[in-house]
Amino acid sequence: MARIADYPIYIEEILRNYGQYTPAYGDVEVETVIDREQQHYQLLTVGWNKDRRVWGCIVHIDIKGQKIWVQHDGTEEGVANLLVEKGVPKQDIVLAYHAPYKRQYTGFAVN
């Protein structure tokens, strides 16, 4: 079972792995944004595709209290699933992109 002190390490590892991918279109970069002090973690796309600006958040995760809050997850496999594979208990992961009343049905923490 993972320890809370290991959660930032797991999150950073997952984001860095996703950050290695290069979008198949335009002049677009993937940026990993890590704020260890405030415990905010993001993976962003930024650049241009022809004459259109590209910017978007792929993943946004916060650590609040003793839990990992997945604020946004634009990945196919789901970062919460990857965290569970690393030993993080489901009760320590909140899928914050679901409405609070729906979280009880996710199998993860409610808050």
Side-chain angles (χ1 to χ4, degrees):
M1 182 182 290
R3 298 174 307 137
I4 185 74
D6 295 328
Y7 292 179
I9 296 165
Y10 299 154
I11 293 167
E12 289 181 28
E13 182 179 301
I14 290 167
L15 292 186
R16 289 189 197 285
N17 284 339
Y18 275 114
Q20 293 178 12
Y21 294 111
T22 303
Y25 58 90
D27 183 20
V28 180
E29 297 176 5
V30 177
E31 295 182 354
T32 305
V33 181
I34 296 171
D35 178 353
R36 290 184 182 106
E37 187 175 319
Q38 301 297 318
Q39 297 192 310
H40 302 295
Y41 307 86
Q42 292 186 346
L43 192 64
L44 307 170
T45 55
V46 63
W48 290 89
N49 185 20
K50 298 180 184 170
D51 62 345
R52 295 192 62 169
R53 182 70 174 155
V54 175
W55 181 91
C57 179
I58 301 169
V59 176
H60 178 179
I61 299 171
D62 297 321
I63 297 178
K64 295 162 110 181
Q66 302 294 308
K67 296 191 179 176
I68 297 170
W69 287 66
V70 181
Q71 304 289 1
H72 178 75
D73 186 354
T75 68
E76 191 169 316
E77 56 195 327
V79 294
N81 294 324
L82 297 174
L83 290 164
V84 169
E85 287 177 13
K86 292 185 175 296
V88 178
K90 286 185 171 187
Q91 67 264 21
D92 284 0
I93 302 171
V94 178
L95 303 181
Y97 52 84
H98 287 301
Y101 72 92
K102 290 184 180 179
R103 293 180 195 154
Q104 63 184 319
Y105 306 112
T106 65
F108 290 89
V110 174
N111 56 24

